[in-house]
Amino acid sequence: MAASVVARQCLETVGHFYYLPSVPAVMATAMLTRRLPTALAVILSLAVNIALVSRESLTDTVANALLFVAVSWFVAEMCWRLRAAQDRARDLSDRLAHRNRVLDAILASTPVATIDRDGRVRFLTTRACAVLGASAEAAVGRDLADFIQDFRPDQLTDGADAVWTGRRPDGVTYPVSIQVGLIPENADGVHATLCLTDLTQAHAANARARELHAQLNRVWRLNSLGEMAASLAHELNQPLTAATTYLHASQDALEKVGLMGQSAGRTIDLAKAQLLRAGAIIRRMRELLAHESRSLQMERVSAMVADLRGILLMIQNDAGVRIEADIDDLNDHVRAERIQFQQAIVNLIRNAAEALQGREDGRIRVIGRARSDTVFEVRVEDSGEGVVPEQLETIFRPLTTTKSSGMGLGLSVTRTIVESHGGTLAVERSELGGAAFVFGLMREREMEDA
Ligand code: ADP
């Protein structure tokens, strides 16, 4: 304001400029501050001009003052609008810069390519280069059909997600999923964005899950047959022995009767032989399906559980539960038969998932911890109702079930597996509120110390 007064006084030597030197001062105030300081600047300019300039009449003074107020307020208003527009532009450019950074991050982590209408590659992210097995320099400008067998750009539909066969420059073929986003009427000439996903690993994981599933089913059939045979042998042993004893007693009695009795005694001999044969068949069957001859190897609990990922994912999705694994993988070398251990874990998890049926937020946890120098403890627990106290004694017996479609073999098979690994299967209450099935495996410390 002072500068404008000085400027005004200097300009007086050249001519009368009246309010003109005050206008830049009002503009500067408006650009830097808000309405109140600008109004003060206008009032100050009025006062200085009225004080320093002698006018011919009061009308002239008032008219000039009013004109100045109108012009300077209009200019100030323009300045404020300019400032607001500048702020908006700055904000917009900040947001655009942020969006660009986000887009760059997304592109860096996504395998995306763009193609033109003829199917030629226009752009390729680093991840997409890794999928196609070619550098951006080598791929841009080339036909995508050189990398994807039978690729036809005219057959693409917006939103489509199909599996194609990719062929890398070294001749290796692989399954690749391509998600299509068509760009309508683009001046750049880009026709579509393609999100490429190499499915090699996903297919291998699926194949592994299917193979393991089939293997576990086979092992389950054998294990449950063995359990039934053991149970049958146990149940039939007593009546067969009793029948043989009764026949023996009848034979003794008949021998005293005479010749007729002796002939009947020979027939009873035949009956006894058949009973003994039945006993031998059952014993043989039990031996055949027995689990005693396990071949325990050095295994890692974390790896055996991780291998079940595909199957656990299936159970998790079917039952709508959450399955977590928390295995101490620094101390988890044990002696185990891999497929049998996995069978035991899957049995316990299936039971837990069934116990959680109809519940929201159902949780199942597999915990593995080294409990001593020799024992690694495995725990499968859930957030269900738990096992009712009256059933605690009986649930491990074969053919004991509380389910309408249950066979009652899962826990007895699991217990047999655990025992053949030198452990004991026990049931407790879980921290999650439901049942916790716990067993120990023999540790292989040398492997960890090595
Ligand atoms: P099945 O599953 O065919 O019934 P099992 O031997 O696997 O046979 O289980 C026997 C019984 O033990 C089940 O019927 C059920 O009552 C009980 N049980 C097993 N696991 C659990 C669990 N996690 N929570 C509550 N009860 C369970």
Side-chain angles (χ1 to χ4, degrees):
M1 206 53 233
S4 83
V5 173
V6 172
R8 188 194 171 288
Q9 287 310 96
C10 295
L11 286 170
E12 264 322 281
T13 54
V14 186
H16 296 306
F17 292 90
Y18 304 109
Y19 284 99
L20 202 56
S22 305
V23 175
V26 173
M27 268 176 77
T29 317
M31 282 305 272
L32 298 171
T33 64
R34 301 199 160 268
R35 280 167 202 270
L36 191 62
T38 311
L40 286 175
V42 172
I43 293 167
L44 216 61
S45 299
L46 281 174
V48 169
N49 270 281
I50 291 167
L52 296 179
V53 182
S54 55
R55 300 274 180 179
E56 287 142 22
S57 66
L58 180 65
T59 324
D60 184 30
T61 308
V62 171
N64 271 293
L66 285 176
L67 187 65
F68 170 69
V69 170
V71 169
S72 58
W73 204 251
F74 175 75
V75 170
E77 191 64 44
M78 289 299 116
C79 290
W80 289 322
R81 287 183 183 202
L82 184 69
R83 242 176 65 186
Q86 272 177 344
D87 287 348
R88 276 203 301 276
R90 201 172 307 118
D91 183 47
L92 206 67
S93 102
D94 282 354
R95 274 193 286 161
L96 271 176
H98 174 71
R99 229 164 112 167
N100 263 350
R101 282 196 298 276
V102 172
L103 268 177
D104 284 347
I106 292 174
L107 285 179
S109 59
T110 325
V112 169
T114 61
I115 52 165
D116 63 18
R117 207 162 275 284
D118 299 323
R120 275 191 297 270
V121 179
R122 297 287 297 263
F123 165 79
L124 208 59
T125 63
T126 320
R127 296 282 301 275
C129 288
V131 174
L132 298 184
S135 66
E137 296 80 49
V140 169
R142 279 181 64 187
D143 214 328
L144 191 63
D146 294 346
F147 301 95
I148 308 287
Q149 282 177 9
D150 305 323
F151 181 77
R152 297 264 309 271
D154 52 335
Q155 288 180 347
L156 299 180
T157 48
D158 198 25
D161 185 357
V163 177
W164 303 71
T165 302
R167 194 183 47 243
R168 301 217 165 90
D170 56 9
V172 173
T173 56
Y174 59 98
V176 57
S177 123
I178 302 184
Q179 275 171 284
V180 182
L182 289 185
I183 305 174
E185 298 311 314
N186 184 4
D188 269 1
V190 174
H191 171 55
T193 60
L194 310 174
C195 184
L196 314 166
T197 313
D198 182 350
L199 297 176
T200 312
Q201 279 187 2
H203 278 201
N206 270 348
R208 171 71 192 136
R210 273 200 304 275
E211 183 199 338
L212 190 58
H213 197 244
Q215 221 176 342
L216 283 174
N217 275 346
R218 257 192 325 271
V219 172
W220 166 252
R221 277 198 296 275
L222 273 179
N223 279 345
S224 46
L225 258 177
E227 212 58 43
M228 296 269 270
S231 164
L232 256 181
H234 178 77
E235 297 295 331
L236 290 183
N237 193 38
Q238 206 193 358
L240 284 177
T241 315
T244 316
T245 314
Y246 288 137
L247 286 176
H248 200 70
S250 325
Q251 219 172 10
D252 282 351
L254 281 170
E255 266 180 18
K256 290 173 194 146
V257 175
L259 266 177
M260 281 271 287
Q262 279 167 12
S263 150
R266 277 194 294 281
T267 317
I268 288 177
D269 263 341
L270 293 175
K272 270 165 59 182
Q274 290 307 315
L275 281 180
L276 288 174
R277 197 167 151 245
I281 290 171
I282 288 168
R283 265 196 306 282
R284 173 87 190 112
M285 192 170 143
R286 188 185 176 187
E287 276 160 21
L288 268 179
L289 298 161
H291 314 274
E292 275 88 47
S293 55
R294 294 254 178 267
S295 60
L296 304 184
Q297 314 267 342
M298 197 286 295
E299 297 282 358
R300 297 194 61 180
V301 177
S302 54
M304 292 191 287
V305 174
D307 200 22
L308 290 171
R309 198 180 302 121
I311 290 173
L312 299 191
L313 214 62
M314 243 152 50
I315 300 178
Q316 181 165 277
N317 292 341
D318 288 351
V321 295
R322 188 146 58 93
I323 303 177
E324 303 151 41
D326 173 14
I327 314 285
D328 171 7
D329 57 3
L330 292 178
N331 304 296
D332 66 336
H333 290 81
V334 294
R335 291 191 67 72
E337 190 179 336
R338 195 180 184 87
I339 192 73
Q340 296 290 347
F341 169 83
Q342 290 175 324
Q343 170 91 87
I345 293 291
V346 169
N347 283 353
L348 294 176
I349 290 182
R350 279 227 169 90
N351 270 346
E354 283 168 11
L356 290 167
Q357 233 169 28
R359 280 177 165 249
E360 297 215 335
D361 303 330
R363 281 178 70 195
I364 301 174
R365 228 166 29 183
V366 185
I367 301 175
R369 294 279 180 277
R371 282 288 168 235
S372 70
D373 281 355
T374 50
V375 176
F376 189 88
E377 187 186 272
V378 179
R379 203 179 168 82
V380 177
E381 56 184 14
D382 61 70
S383 60
E385 293 283 329
V387 180
V388 258
E390 308 83 72
Q391 283 168 358
L392 281 174
E393 292 294 315
T394 53
I395 52 170
F396 292 108
R397 284 191 207 143
L399 309 174
T400 304
T401 182
T402 56
K403 299 167 196 166
S404 53
S405 58
M407 283 173 66
L409 286 175
L411 284 180
S412 54
V413 164
T414 308
R415 186 176 59 175
T416 309
I417 294 174
V418 168
E419 285 172 356
S420 69
H421 281 71
T424 334
L425 180 65
V427 58
E428 300 171 357
R429 186 145 277 278
S430 137
E431 270 178 24
L432 299 178
F437 287 85
V438 191
F439 61 92
L441 293 170
M442 289 179 279
R443 281 181 72 189
E444 275 275 354
R445 298 255 354 251
E446 301 84 58
M447 299 307 300
E448 283 149 17
D449 298 339

